Protein backbone atom coordinates (compact mmCIF):
# COMPACT_ATOMS: atom_id res chain seq x y z
CA UNK A 1 0.00 0.00 0.00
CA UNK A 2 2.80 2.46 0.86
CA UNK A 3 6.11 2.72 -0.98
CA UNK A 4 9.23 2.13 1.07
CA UNK A 5 11.82 4.89 0.87
CA UNK A 6 15.50 4.16 0.44
CA UNK A 7 17.25 3.62 3.75
CA UNK A 8 14.01 3.08 5.68
CA UNK A 9 14.87 -0.30 7.14
CA UNK A 10 12.43 -1.16 9.92
CA UNK A 11 12.22 -4.39 11.81
CA UNK A 12 8.45 -4.41 12.30
CA UNK A 13 7.78 -7.32 9.96
CA UNK A 14 5.14 -8.88 12.21
CA UNK A 15 3.41 -5.58 12.98
CA UNK A 16 1.25 -3.38 10.76
CA UNK A 17 1.78 0.37 10.72
CA UNK A 18 -1.77 1.66 10.38
CA UNK A 19 -1.09 5.40 10.54
CA UNK A 20 1.61 7.40 8.76
CA UNK A 21 2.24 11.10 9.21
CA UNK A 22 4.18 12.06 6.07
CA UNK A 23 7.26 14.30 5.85
CA UNK A 24 5.33 17.32 4.60
CA UNK A 25 2.71 17.13 7.38
CA UNK A 26 2.66 19.18 10.58
CA UNK A 27 0.20 18.24 13.31
CA UNK A 28 -0.55 20.25 16.44
CA UNK A 29 -2.47 18.41 19.16
CA UNK A 30 -2.37 15.08 20.98
CA UNK A 31 -2.39 11.82 19.02
CA UNK A 32 -4.14 8.67 20.31
CA UNK A 33 -3.69 5.41 18.39
CA UNK A 34 -4.34 1.74 19.19
CA UNK A 35 -1.99 0.31 16.55
CA UNK A 36 1.51 1.14 15.28
CA UNK A 37 2.07 4.68 14.00
CA UNK A 38 4.96 6.15 12.00
CA UNK A 39 5.81 9.84 12.14
CA UNK A 40 7.92 11.26 9.31
CA UNK A 41 6.56 14.81 9.68
CA UNK A 42 6.34 17.17 12.64
CA UNK A 43 4.05 16.77 15.63
CA UNK A 44 3.52 19.19 18.48
CA UNK A 45 1.64 17.37 21.25
CA UNK A 46 1.64 14.12 23.20
CA UNK A 47 1.57 10.76 21.38
CA UNK A 48 -0.14 7.75 22.97
CA UNK A 49 -0.09 4.47 21.07
CA UNK A 50 -1.00 1.15 22.63
CA UNK A 51 1.24 -0.91 20.30
CA UNK A 52 4.11 1.24 19.12
CA UNK A 53 5.63 4.23 17.39
CA UNK A 54 8.35 4.79 14.81
CA UNK A 55 9.81 8.28 14.47
CA UNK A 56 11.38 8.43 11.00
CA UNK A 57 14.70 10.09 10.21
CA UNK A 58 13.01 13.39 9.23
CA UNK A 59 10.30 13.05 11.87
CA UNK A 60 10.04 15.05 15.06
CA UNK A 61 7.84 14.90 18.15
CA UNK A 62 7.61 17.76 20.66
CA UNK A 63 5.60 16.21 23.47
CA UNK A 64 5.46 13.19 25.77
CA UNK A 65 5.27 9.65 24.36
CA UNK A 66 3.55 6.62 25.93
CA UNK A 67 3.70 3.28 24.10
CA UNK A 68 5.06 -0.27 24.26
CA UNK A 69 7.59 -0.18 21.40
CA UNK A 70 9.47 2.94 20.25
CA UNK A 71 12.03 3.18 17.45
CA UNK A 72 13.66 6.59 17.03
CA UNK A 73 15.46 7.62 13.83
CA UNK A 74 14.45 11.31 14.15
CA UNK A 75 14.04 13.78 17.00
CA UNK A 76 12.03 13.72 20.22
CA UNK A 77 11.74 16.60 22.68
CA UNK A 78 9.65 15.32 25.60
CA UNK A 79 9.40 12.62 28.24
CA UNK A 80 9.11 8.98 27.19
CA UNK A 81 7.25 6.14 28.94
CA UNK A 82 7.82 2.88 27.00
CA UNK A 83 8.55 -0.80 27.46
CA UNK A 84 11.16 -1.12 24.68
CA UNK A 85 13.14 1.76 23.19
CA UNK A 86 15.57 1.60 20.28
CA UNK A 87 17.49 4.84 19.63
CA UNK A 88 19.14 4.69 16.20
CA UNK A 89 22.37 6.48 15.21
CA UNK A 90 20.46 9.29 13.45
CA UNK A 91 18.09 9.79 16.40
CA UNK A 92 18.08 12.25 19.26
CA UNK A 93 16.04 12.51 22.46
CA UNK A 94 15.84 15.44 24.85
CA UNK A 95 13.77 14.41 27.86
CA UNK A 96 13.45 11.91 30.67
CA UNK A 97 12.74 8.25 29.98
CA UNK A 98 11.06 5.47 31.91
CA UNK A 99 11.76 2.19 30.12
CA UNK A 100 12.04 -1.55 30.62
CA UNK A 101 14.56 -2.06 27.79
CA UNK A 102 16.80 0.54 26.10
CA UNK A 103 19.12 0.09 23.08
CA UNK A 104 21.34 2.87 21.73
CA UNK A 105 23.41 2.88 18.54
CA UNK A 106 26.71 4.77 18.26
CA UNK A 107 26.12 8.33 17.08
CA UNK A 108 22.71 8.74 18.74
CA UNK A 109 22.17 11.78 20.97
CA UNK A 110 20.42 11.77 24.33
CA UNK A 111 19.98 14.37 27.08
CA UNK A 112 17.93 13.49 30.16
CA UNK A 113 17.51 10.86 32.85
CA UNK A 114 16.77 7.17 32.41
CA UNK A 115 14.73 5.06 34.82
CA UNK A 116 14.66 1.32 34.13
CA UNK A 117 12.42 -1.25 35.83
CA UNK A 118 12.20 -4.79 34.43
CA UNK A 119 9.37 -5.89 36.74
CA UNK A 120 6.69 -3.25 36.24
CA UNK A 121 4.89 -2.26 33.08
CA UNK A 122 5.18 1.33 31.90
CA UNK A 123 2.80 3.59 33.83
CA UNK A 124 0.06 5.07 31.70
CA UNK A 125 -0.83 8.19 33.68
CA UNK A 126 2.17 8.78 35.93
CA UNK A 127 4.80 11.37 35.02
CA UNK A 128 8.11 11.68 36.84
CA UNK A 129 9.81 15.04 37.26
CA UNK A 130 13.59 14.47 37.26
CA UNK A 131 16.33 16.99 36.61
CA UNK A 132 18.06 16.58 33.25
CA UNK A 133 21.53 15.12 32.90
CA UNK A 134 23.67 14.54 29.84
CA UNK A 135 24.19 10.80 29.28
Amino acid sequence: MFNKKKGAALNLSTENITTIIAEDCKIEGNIECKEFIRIDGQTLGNVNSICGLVVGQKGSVKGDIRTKELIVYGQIDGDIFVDNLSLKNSGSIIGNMQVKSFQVENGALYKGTVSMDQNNSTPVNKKENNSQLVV
Side-chain angles (χ1 to χ4, degrees):
M1 182 173 173
F2 298 102
N3 294 331
K4 278 192 168 183
K5 295 185 179 186
K6 292 181 182 177
L10 295 177
N11 190 9
L12 294 175
S13 59
T14 61
E15 308 298 338
N16 291 324
I17 295 176
T18 60
T19 304
I20 297 177
I21 298 172
E23 287 180 27
D24 58 348
C25 289
K26 181 177 180 181
I27 295 181
E28 293 184 22
N30 296 333
I31 298 172
E32 301 270 340
C33 187
K34 291 183 181 179
E35 300 297 327
F36 277 88
I37 183 172
R38 180 178 173 108
I39 298 174
D40 289 316
Q42 299 175 10
T43 62
L44 178 59
N46 298 332
V47 179
N48 296 313
S49 173
I50 293 173
C51 290
L53 168 66
V54 176
V55 179
Q57 196 165 7
K58 294 186 179 181
S60 69
V61 176
K62 289 187 179 182
D64 296 346
I65 295 174
R66 295 178 187 277
T67 189
K68 286 185 182 178
E69 305 289 331
L70 175 61
I71 301 172
V72 181
Y73 292 93
Q75 300 176 346
I76 296 175
D77 186 353
D79 293 340
I80 297 172
F81 303 87
V82 300
D83 287 346
N84 301 306
L85 171 63
S86 180
L87 181 57
K88 303 299 184 178
N89 63 359
S90 61
S92 69
I93 297 174
I94 298 174
N96 301 315
M97 298 189 302
Q98 185 168 344
V99 299
K100 288 174 81 174
S101 170
F102 182 32
Q103 297 177 335
V104 182
E105 290 184 352
N106 287 335
L109 301 173
Y110 174 68
K111 181 178 179 181
T113 61
V114 178
S115 174
M116 294 182 77
D117 189 349
Q118 296 292 326
N119 297 323
N120 296 325
S121 62
T122 304
V124 175
N125 295 319
K126 182 180 174 186
K127 183 176 179 181
E128 291 185 4
N129 188 8
N130 297 325
S131 60
Q132 289 191 354
L133 302 173
V134 176
V135 177

Short mmCIF file of all heavy atoms in Angstrom, two decimals, residues 64-70 78-85 93 95-102 110 112-130:
data_model
loop_
_atom_site.label_atom_id
_atom_site.label_comp_id
_atom_site.label_asym_id
_atom_site.label_seq_id
_atom_site.Cartn_x
_atom_site.Cartn_y
_atom_site.Cartn_z
N ASP A 64 5.21 14.46 25.08
CA ASP A 64 5.46 13.19 25.77
C ASP A 64 4.95 12.02 24.94
O ASP A 64 3.99 12.14 24.18
CB ASP A 64 4.77 13.19 27.13
CG ASP A 64 5.34 14.24 28.07
OD1 ASP A 64 6.42 14.78 27.77
OD2 ASP A 64 4.71 14.52 29.10
N ILE A 65 5.63 10.87 25.09
CA ILE A 65 5.27 9.65 24.36
C ILE A 65 5.02 8.53 25.34
O ILE A 65 5.82 8.29 26.25
CB ILE A 65 6.39 9.26 23.38
CG1 ILE A 65 6.55 10.33 22.30
CG2 ILE A 65 6.10 7.89 22.76
CD1 ILE A 65 7.72 10.09 21.38
N ARG A 66 3.89 7.81 25.15
CA ARG A 66 3.55 6.62 25.93
C ARG A 66 3.18 5.52 24.95
O ARG A 66 2.23 5.66 24.18
CB ARG A 66 2.39 6.90 26.87
CG ARG A 66 2.69 7.90 27.95
CD ARG A 66 1.48 8.18 28.83
NE ARG A 66 1.74 9.26 29.75
CZ ARG A 66 2.37 9.13 30.91
NH1 ARG A 66 2.78 7.95 31.30
NH2 ARG A 66 2.58 10.18 31.69
N THR A 67 3.95 4.41 24.99
CA THR A 67 3.70 3.28 24.10
C THR A 67 4.49 2.07 24.57
O THR A 67 5.28 2.16 25.51
CB THR A 67 4.06 3.65 22.64
OG1 THR A 67 3.60 2.61 21.77
CG2 THR A 67 5.54 3.87 22.46
N LYS A 68 4.30 0.93 23.92
CA LYS A 68 5.06 -0.27 24.26
C LYS A 68 6.40 -0.30 23.54
O LYS A 68 7.44 -0.53 24.14
CB LYS A 68 4.26 -1.52 23.92
CG LYS A 68 3.12 -1.79 24.86
CD LYS A 68 2.45 -3.09 24.55
CE LYS A 68 1.28 -3.30 25.48
NZ LYS A 68 0.56 -4.53 25.19
N GLU A 69 6.39 -0.10 22.22
CA GLU A 69 7.59 -0.18 21.40
C GLU A 69 7.86 1.18 20.77
O GLU A 69 6.97 1.78 20.19
CB GLU A 69 7.41 -1.20 20.27
CG GLU A 69 6.99 -2.58 20.73
CD GLU A 69 8.09 -3.33 21.44
OE1 GLU A 69 9.28 -3.10 21.15
OE2 GLU A 69 7.77 -4.17 22.30
N LEU A 70 9.11 1.66 20.85
CA LEU A 70 9.47 2.94 20.25
C LEU A 70 10.80 2.80 19.53
O LEU A 70 11.79 2.35 20.12
CB LEU A 70 9.57 4.03 21.33
CG LEU A 70 10.04 5.41 20.89
CD1 LEU A 70 9.10 6.01 19.85
CD2 LEU A 70 10.18 6.33 22.09
N GLY A 78 10.73 15.60 24.65
CA GLY A 78 9.65 15.32 25.60
C GLY A 78 9.98 14.08 26.40
O GLY A 78 10.95 13.37 26.12
N ASP A 79 9.19 13.79 27.40
CA ASP A 79 9.40 12.62 28.24
C ASP A 79 8.82 11.38 27.58
O ASP A 79 7.83 11.45 26.84
CB ASP A 79 8.75 12.83 29.61
CG ASP A 79 9.45 13.92 30.40
OD1 ASP A 79 10.61 14.25 30.09
OD2 ASP A 79 8.84 14.45 31.35
N ILE A 80 9.46 10.23 27.85
CA ILE A 80 9.11 8.98 27.19
C ILE A 80 8.80 7.92 28.25
O ILE A 80 9.57 7.73 29.19
CB ILE A 80 10.27 8.50 26.28
CG1 ILE A 80 10.50 9.53 25.18
CG2 ILE A 80 9.99 7.13 25.72
CD1 ILE A 80 11.74 9.25 24.36
N PHE A 81 7.67 7.22 28.06
CA PHE A 81 7.25 6.14 28.94
C PHE A 81 6.97 4.93 28.04
O PHE A 81 5.91 4.85 27.42
CB PHE A 81 5.99 6.55 29.71
CG PHE A 81 6.16 7.81 30.50
CD1 PHE A 81 5.93 9.05 29.93
CD2 PHE A 81 6.57 7.75 31.83
CE1 PHE A 81 6.10 10.22 30.66
CE2 PHE A 81 6.73 8.91 32.57
CZ PHE A 81 6.50 10.14 31.98
N VAL A 82 7.94 4.00 27.93
CA VAL A 82 7.82 2.88 27.00
C VAL A 82 8.36 1.60 27.64
O VAL A 82 9.12 1.65 28.60
CB VAL A 82 8.57 3.14 25.67
CG1 VAL A 82 8.04 4.35 24.96
CG2 VAL A 82 10.06 3.28 25.89
N ASP A 83 7.96 0.47 27.06
CA ASP A 83 8.55 -0.80 27.46
C ASP A 83 9.90 -1.00 26.78
O ASP A 83 10.90 -1.27 27.43
CB ASP A 83 7.61 -1.96 27.14
CG ASP A 83 6.41 -2.02 28.07
OD1 ASP A 83 6.43 -1.36 29.12
OD2 ASP A 83 5.45 -2.74 27.75
N ASN A 84 9.93 -0.87 25.45
CA ASN A 84 11.16 -1.12 24.68
C ASN A 84 11.48 0.07 23.80
O ASN A 84 10.66 0.48 22.98
CB ASN A 84 10.99 -2.37 23.81
CG ASN A 84 10.67 -3.59 24.65
OD1 ASN A 84 11.39 -3.92 25.59
ND2 ASN A 84 9.57 -4.24 24.35
N LEU A 85 12.70 0.60 23.96
CA LEU A 85 13.14 1.76 23.19
C LEU A 85 14.39 1.42 22.41
O LEU A 85 15.33 0.85 22.96
CB LEU A 85 13.42 2.93 24.13
CG LEU A 85 14.08 4.15 23.52
CD1 LEU A 85 13.21 4.80 22.45
CD2 LEU A 85 14.43 5.16 24.60
N ILE A 93 17.10 12.36 21.46
CA ILE A 93 16.04 12.51 22.46
C ILE A 93 16.50 13.52 23.49
O ILE A 93 17.60 13.42 24.04
CB ILE A 93 15.73 11.16 23.15
CG1 ILE A 93 15.20 10.15 22.15
CG2 ILE A 93 14.74 11.37 24.29
CD1 ILE A 93 15.00 8.76 22.72
N GLY A 95 14.87 14.66 26.93
CA GLY A 95 13.77 14.41 27.86
C GLY A 95 14.08 13.22 28.74
O GLY A 95 15.03 12.48 28.51
N ASN A 96 13.28 13.02 29.74
CA ASN A 96 13.45 11.91 30.67
C ASN A 96 12.75 10.67 30.13
O ASN A 96 11.76 10.78 29.41
CB ASN A 96 12.88 12.29 32.03
CG ASN A 96 13.57 13.51 32.60
OD1 ASN A 96 14.79 13.61 32.56
ND2 ASN A 96 12.79 14.46 33.09
N MET A 97 13.29 9.50 30.48
CA MET A 97 12.74 8.25 29.98
C MET A 97 12.49 7.28 31.12
O MET A 97 13.31 7.14 32.01
CB MET A 97 13.71 7.60 28.99
CG MET A 97 13.97 8.42 27.77
SD MET A 97 14.92 7.53 26.52
CE MET A 97 16.38 7.07 27.39
N GLN A 98 11.34 6.61 31.05
CA GLN A 98 11.06 5.47 31.91
C GLN A 98 10.84 4.29 30.99
O GLN A 98 9.88 4.27 30.21
CB GLN A 98 9.83 5.73 32.78
CG GLN A 98 9.59 4.63 33.77
CD GLN A 98 8.55 5.02 34.81
OE1 GLN A 98 8.22 6.18 34.97
NE2 GLN A 98 8.05 4.03 35.50
N VAL A 99 11.75 3.30 31.06
CA VAL A 99 11.76 2.19 30.12
C VAL A 99 12.00 0.87 30.85
O VAL A 99 12.48 0.84 31.97
CB VAL A 99 12.87 2.38 29.04
CG1 VAL A 99 12.65 3.64 28.24
CG2 VAL A 99 14.25 2.39 29.66
N LYS A 100 11.67 -0.22 30.15
CA LYS A 100 12.04 -1.55 30.62
C LYS A 100 13.30 -2.02 29.90
O LYS A 100 14.12 -2.70 30.47
CB LYS A 100 10.89 -2.53 30.38
CG LYS A 100 9.70 -2.31 31.31
CD LYS A 100 8.54 -3.20 30.95
CE LYS A 100 8.70 -4.58 31.50
NZ LYS A 100 7.50 -5.41 31.27
N SER A 101 13.43 -1.65 28.61
CA SER A 101 14.56 -2.06 27.79
C SER A 101 14.98 -0.88 26.93
O SER A 101 14.13 -0.19 26.36
CB SER A 101 14.15 -3.24 26.90
OG SER A 101 15.13 -3.52 25.94
N PHE A 102 16.30 -0.64 26.79
CA PHE A 102 16.80 0.54 26.10
C PHE A 102 18.04 0.15 25.29
O PHE A 102 19.01 -0.34 25.85
CB PHE A 102 17.13 1.61 27.14
CG PHE A 102 17.62 2.92 26.60
CD1 PHE A 102 17.21 3.43 25.39
CD2 PHE A 102 18.50 3.67 27.37
CE1 PHE A 102 17.66 4.65 24.94
CE2 PHE A 102 18.95 4.89 26.92
CZ PHE A 102 18.53 5.38 25.71
N TYR A 110 21.41 11.85 23.27
CA TYR A 110 20.42 11.77 24.33
C TYR A 110 20.78 12.73 25.45
O TYR A 110 21.93 12.80 25.87
CB TYR A 110 20.31 10.35 24.88
CG TYR A 110 19.39 10.30 26.06
CD1 TYR A 110 18.03 10.51 25.92
CD2 TYR A 110 19.90 10.11 27.34
CE1 TYR A 110 17.20 10.52 27.01
CE2 TYR A 110 19.06 10.11 28.44
CZ TYR A 110 17.71 10.32 28.26
OH TYR A 110 16.88 10.35 29.33
N GLY A 112 19.01 13.70 29.21
CA GLY A 112 17.93 13.49 30.16
C GLY A 112 18.28 12.41 31.15
O GLY A 112 19.43 11.99 31.24
N THR A 113 17.31 11.94 31.89
CA THR A 113 17.51 10.86 32.85
C THR A 113 16.83 9.59 32.35
O THR A 113 15.86 9.66 31.59
CB THR A 113 16.94 11.21 34.24
OG1 THR A 113 15.54 11.43 34.11
CG2 THR A 113 17.60 12.45 34.80
N VAL A 114 17.35 8.45 32.78
CA VAL A 114 16.77 7.17 32.41
C VAL A 114 16.41 6.42 33.68
O VAL A 114 17.22 6.30 34.59
CB VAL A 114 17.76 6.31 31.59
CG1 VAL A 114 17.15 4.95 31.26
CG2 VAL A 114 18.18 7.02 30.32
N SER A 115 15.18 5.91 33.73
CA SER A 115 14.73 5.06 34.82
C SER A 115 14.31 3.73 34.22
O SER A 115 13.45 3.70 33.34
CB SER A 115 13.55 5.73 35.54
OG SER A 115 13.03 4.85 36.51
N MET A 116 14.95 2.64 34.68
CA MET A 116 14.66 1.32 34.13
C MET A 116 14.10 0.43 35.23
O MET A 116 14.63 0.39 36.34
CB MET A 116 15.90 0.67 33.54
CG MET A 116 16.42 1.39 32.33
SD MET A 116 17.85 0.56 31.62
CE MET A 116 17.05 -0.79 30.79
N ASP A 117 13.02 -0.30 34.90
CA ASP A 117 12.42 -1.25 35.83
C ASP A 117 11.92 -2.44 35.03
O ASP A 117 10.98 -2.31 34.25
CB ASP A 117 11.28 -0.60 36.61
CG ASP A 117 10.77 -1.48 37.73
OD1 ASP A 117 11.15 -2.68 37.80
OD2 ASP A 117 10.00 -0.98 38.56
N GLN A 118 12.54 -3.58 35.18
CA GLN A 118 12.20 -4.79 34.43
C GLN A 118 10.91 -5.43 34.91
O GLN A 118 10.27 -6.18 34.19
CB GLN A 118 13.32 -5.82 34.52
CG GLN A 118 14.61 -5.36 33.88
CD GLN A 118 14.48 -5.25 32.39
OE1 GLN A 118 13.77 -6.01 31.75
NE2 GLN A 118 15.16 -4.28 31.80
N ASN A 119 10.50 -5.17 36.15
CA ASN A 119 9.37 -5.89 36.74
C ASN A 119 8.02 -5.24 36.50
O ASN A 119 7.00 -5.92 36.46
CB ASN A 119 9.59 -6.05 38.25
CG ASN A 119 10.81 -6.86 38.54
OD1 ASN A 119 11.10 -7.82 37.84
ND2 ASN A 119 11.56 -6.48 39.56
N ASN A 120 7.97 -3.94 36.37
CA ASN A 120 6.69 -3.25 36.24
C ASN A 120 6.46 -2.80 34.81
O ASN A 120 7.40 -2.45 34.10
CB ASN A 120 6.66 -2.02 37.16
CG ASN A 120 6.74 -2.41 38.61
OD1 ASN A 120 6.22 -3.43 39.00
ND2 ASN A 120 7.41 -1.60 39.40
N SER A 121 5.21 -2.79 34.39
CA SER A 121 4.89 -2.26 33.08
C SER A 121 4.93 -0.73 33.14
O SER A 121 4.83 -0.14 34.19
CB SER A 121 3.52 -2.74 32.61
OG SER A 121 2.54 -2.28 33.49
N THR A 122 5.08 -0.12 31.99
CA THR A 122 5.18 1.33 31.90
C THR A 122 3.90 1.98 32.40
O THR A 122 2.82 1.62 31.98
CB THR A 122 5.44 1.73 30.44
OG1 THR A 122 6.61 1.06 30.00
CG2 THR A 122 5.64 3.22 30.32
N PRO A 123 4.01 2.95 33.33
CA PRO A 123 2.80 3.59 33.83
C PRO A 123 2.12 4.41 32.74
O PRO A 123 2.77 5.05 31.94
CB PRO A 123 3.32 4.51 34.95
CG PRO A 123 4.76 4.74 34.64
CD PRO A 123 5.22 3.51 33.91
N VAL A 124 0.81 4.39 32.74
CA VAL A 124 0.06 5.07 31.70
C VAL A 124 -0.19 6.53 32.06
O VAL A 124 -0.10 7.40 31.22
CB VAL A 124 -1.28 4.34 31.45
CG1 VAL A 124 -2.14 5.10 30.47
CG2 VAL A 124 -1.03 2.93 30.98
N ASN A 125 -0.46 6.83 33.31
CA ASN A 125 -0.83 8.19 33.68
C ASN A 125 0.13 8.86 34.66
O ASN A 125 -0.14 9.93 35.15
CB ASN A 125 -2.23 8.20 34.30
CG ASN A 125 -3.27 7.79 33.30
OD1 ASN A 125 -3.22 8.19 32.15
ND2 ASN A 125 -4.21 6.97 33.73
N LYS A 126 1.24 8.23 34.97
CA LYS A 126 2.17 8.78 35.93
C LYS A 126 3.33 9.46 35.21
O LYS A 126 3.89 8.91 34.28
CB LYS A 126 2.71 7.66 36.83
CG LYS A 126 3.66 8.15 37.90
CD LYS A 126 4.13 6.99 38.74
CE LYS A 126 5.19 7.42 39.73
NZ LYS A 126 5.75 6.30 40.44
N LYS A 127 3.69 10.65 35.62
CA LYS A 127 4.80 11.37 35.02
C LYS A 127 5.80 11.73 36.11
O LYS A 127 5.44 12.31 37.12
CB LYS A 127 4.30 12.64 34.32
CG LYS A 127 5.40 13.39 33.62
CD LYS A 127 4.83 14.57 32.86
CE LYS A 127 5.95 15.34 32.19
NZ LYS A 127 5.48 16.50 31.47
N GLU A 128 7.07 11.35 35.89
CA GLU A 128 8.11 11.68 36.84
C GLU A 128 8.71 13.03 36.47
O GLU A 128 8.81 13.38 35.31
CB GLU A 128 9.20 10.61 36.83
CG GLU A 128 8.74 9.29 37.38
CD GLU A 128 9.86 8.28 37.48
OE1 GLU A 128 11.01 8.63 37.17
OE2 GLU A 128 9.59 7.16 37.86
N ASN A 129 9.18 13.75 37.48
CA ASN A 129 9.81 15.04 37.26
C ASN A 129 11.24 14.96 37.77
O ASN A 129 11.50 15.19 38.92
CB ASN A 129 9.02 16.14 37.96
CG ASN A 129 9.53 17.51 37.59
OD1 ASN A 129 10.36 17.64 36.70
ND2 ASN A 129 9.03 18.51 38.28
N ASN A 130 12.18 14.60 36.90
CA ASN A 130 13.59 14.47 37.26
C ASN A 130 14.38 15.58 36.61
O ASN A 130 14.06 16.03 35.53
CB ASN A 130 14.14 13.13 36.79
CG ASN A 130 13.46 11.96 37.46
OD1 ASN A 130 13.11 12.04 38.62
ND2 ASN A 130 13.26 10.89 36.72
#
